[in-house]
Amino acid sequence: MQKYEFRYLSQEDILSLNLSYADVIDAVEKGMAEFGRGTCQLPVKIHTNTRPLTYINAMPAYIGGDQDVTGLKWVAGYPDNRAKGLPVTWGLMVMNDVTTGGVTAVMDATWITAVRTAAVAAVTAKYCKVKDTHSMTIIGAGVQGKFNARLIKMVVPELKKIYIHDLYPAAIDAYLKKMQPLMPEVEFIPIRSDAERQSAIDDSQILLSATQRGDKPLIYCENLHKGMLGIPLESTAWDGKTYTQFSDRFICDDWNLVKNYLDDGKYTDGLDKFINNHQILGKVINGDACGRANEDEFVIASSHGIAISDVAVGNLILKKAEEKGIGVMLPLMEETDILR
């Protein structure tokens, strides 16, 4: 048997590719669209939880149609890692050859997870925002707060103001220092009090929460107004009644995954209102479902993260790495007689 090798890509290898965020958004949108056509395979996430409030997920997917790619993300989320100087979310992405099943690449999944999550939110905003979206409020000044600001602005060019709030004032200051030079065309406004937070939400057409799971919700019905897009990256950050009583339209990446989280109690009021009346993002992209019926609707988009987007971005990375010769080729096997 001939020697078989795969490409290994570290986080720094991936960053050196200088992938365009526009290309990432496009790849995620096309992957979601294919999922909406029913040509993909998406097993539900497999979880292990070694400590409270942690997870390690196995996330495989196959994207069919013209893309014909497959892979698996093995990703962990450990909030206490902040105090240890380690990433909260990290893992590996494995890409496979669809014709042989052979591993073609193993790569860091930290950047993939960060950018694909924001790309899904950006695609959602593209199809579900109101026409004049001039302001957005982001709650959570961490990695997702930063990535979402950057990518959503790309699909919402009319966005002029971003209000930013966090429990930790130092996190807000660090956010402003990082983001304002990157996006000088946007006015970043810090939220330092509850009154300022409510005023920001009142002025915003998008409200995005980018926080870890907490002991109680951060957003309640009385905080919201119609004609808005709500994006909870963590569903429990929003009180259950914001889904069942206030929202007019429910968008999700995958209803089967939503049902899993529903069974786990992450929608405290249930989702009876949307059992037969939800919209899948891929179908919205394809024009087979409506992302917003009118400017007065409150649309809530609850995407828990599916491997379709990870595989789409992983494939984008692998193609660019092969083109540029980036990464290290590592041997996997050569012998056929392995009995010893």
Side-chain angles (χ1 to χ4, degrees):
M1 186 183 78
Q2 64 179 350
K3 184 177 181 180
Y4 191 89
E5 297 180 323
F6 66 91
R7 189 176 300 272
Y8 170 75
L9 294 160
S10 68
Q11 174 183 262
E12 283 60 41
D13 289 330
I14 293 171
L15 293 175
S16 75
L17 296 172
N18 291 316
L19 289 172
S20 157
Y21 288 141
D23 287 344
V24 171
I25 293 169
D26 182 62
V28 168
E29 182 172 349
K30 287 177 178 175
M32 290 294 188
E34 208 61 62
F35 183 55
R37 295 185 190 102
T39 63
C40 301
Q41 296 174 32
L42 184 68
V44 173
K45 294 179 186 179
I46 300 170
H47 303 273
T48 59
N49 309 96
T50 65
R51 298 291 185 276
L53 301 179
T54 69
Y55 66 83
I56 306 177
N57 291 343
M59 300 171 60
Y62 165 71
I63 305 176
D66 294 335
Q67 299 183 52
D68 197 27
V69 294
T70 191
L72 175 142
K73 186 170 77 169
W74 180 241
V75 62
Y78 279 64
D80 289 346
N81 278 0
R82 283 193 189 91
K84 302 172 184 177
L86 296 172
V88 171
T89 304
W90 52 352
L92 290 173
M93 187 79 204
V94 180
M95 302 298 295
N96 293 77
D97 186 309
V98 293
T99 59
T100 67
V103 174
T104 54
V106 174
M107 62 186 78
D108 171 73
T110 307
W111 186 84
I112 293 173
T113 302
V115 76
R116 70 79 149 136
T117 303
V120 172
V123 172
T124 303
K126 178 179 176 179
Y127 288 93
C128 302
K129 70 180 181 70
V130 297
K131 290 177 182 176
D132 181 22
T133 298
H134 56 76
S135 299
M136 173 169 68
T137 294
I138 296 176
I139 298 175
V143 171
Q144 280 305 316
K146 297 182 181 78
F147 270 89
N148 273 274
R150 196 81 188 275
L151 272 66
I152 287 176
K153 170 61 178 173
M154 297 184 73
V155 299
V156 187
E158 68 269 29
L159 187 63
K160 297 294 188 293
K161 289 187 289 186
I162 295 178
Y163 298 92
I164 181 67
H165 179 58
D166 198 279
L167 292 174
Y168 304 99
I172 298 175
D173 294 336
Y175 183 98
L176 296 172
K177 184 178 179 181
K178 175 72 174 182
M179 299 305 295
Q180 192 65 80
L182 289 175
M183 302 172 64
E185 72 281 12
V186 173
E187 180 185 5
F188 286 91
I189 303 171
I191 300 172
R192 306 287 189 184
S193 68
D194 289 344
E196 287 181 354
R197 189 178 78 156
Q198 187 58 58
S199 179
I201 294 172
D202 291 343
D203 185 45
S204 294
Q205 293 75 51
I206 297 176
L207 172 59
L208 183 142
S209 60
T211 60
Q212 295 291 323
R213 188 172 187 180
D215 296 331
K216 62 181 182 179
L218 300 172
I219 304 296
Y220 295 86
C221 293
E222 55 265 30
N223 300 128
L224 305 173
H225 62 83
K226 295 294 184 177
M228 198 178 205
L229 170 62
I231 305 178
L233 298 187
E234 163 55 55
S235 59
T236 58
W238 296 50
D239 178 63
K241 293 181 177 61
T242 60
Y243 298 91
T244 58
Q245 294 185 18
F246 196 83
S247 299
D248 302 300
R249 188 170 298 271
F250 183 88
I251 310 289
C252 61
D253 48 6
D254 175 35
W255 182 249
N256 287 328
L257 185 56
V258 169
K259 287 192 293 185
N260 265 27
Y261 281 94
L262 184 61
D263 291 343
D264 287 343
K266 290 192 175 182
Y267 295 95
T268 55
D269 265 33
L271 283 175
D272 290 351
K273 180 178 179 179
F274 297 112
I275 295 293
N276 298 310
N277 191 30
H278 56 272
Q279 315 297 330
I280 305 299
L281 179 59
K283 291 185 177 295
V284 172
I285 295 167
N286 294 332
D288 298 324
C290 179
R292 171 175 292 277
N294 57 65
E295 295 289 282
D296 295 325
E297 278 192 328
F298 185 94
V299 178
I300 196 161
S302 190
S303 293
H304 291 284
I306 58 176
I308 296 294
S309 55
D310 297 297
V311 169
V313 177
N315 185 53
L316 182 68
I317 290 168
L318 179 54
K319 284 183 175 179
K320 184 65 72 172
E322 289 173 342
E323 177 188 315
K324 291 190 170 185
I326 299 295
V328 179
M329 299 305 296
L330 296 176
L332 186 65
M333 62 177 68
E334 188 170 3
E335 292 286 338
T336 54
D337 182 4
I338 58 174
L339 178 63
R340 296 290 186 267

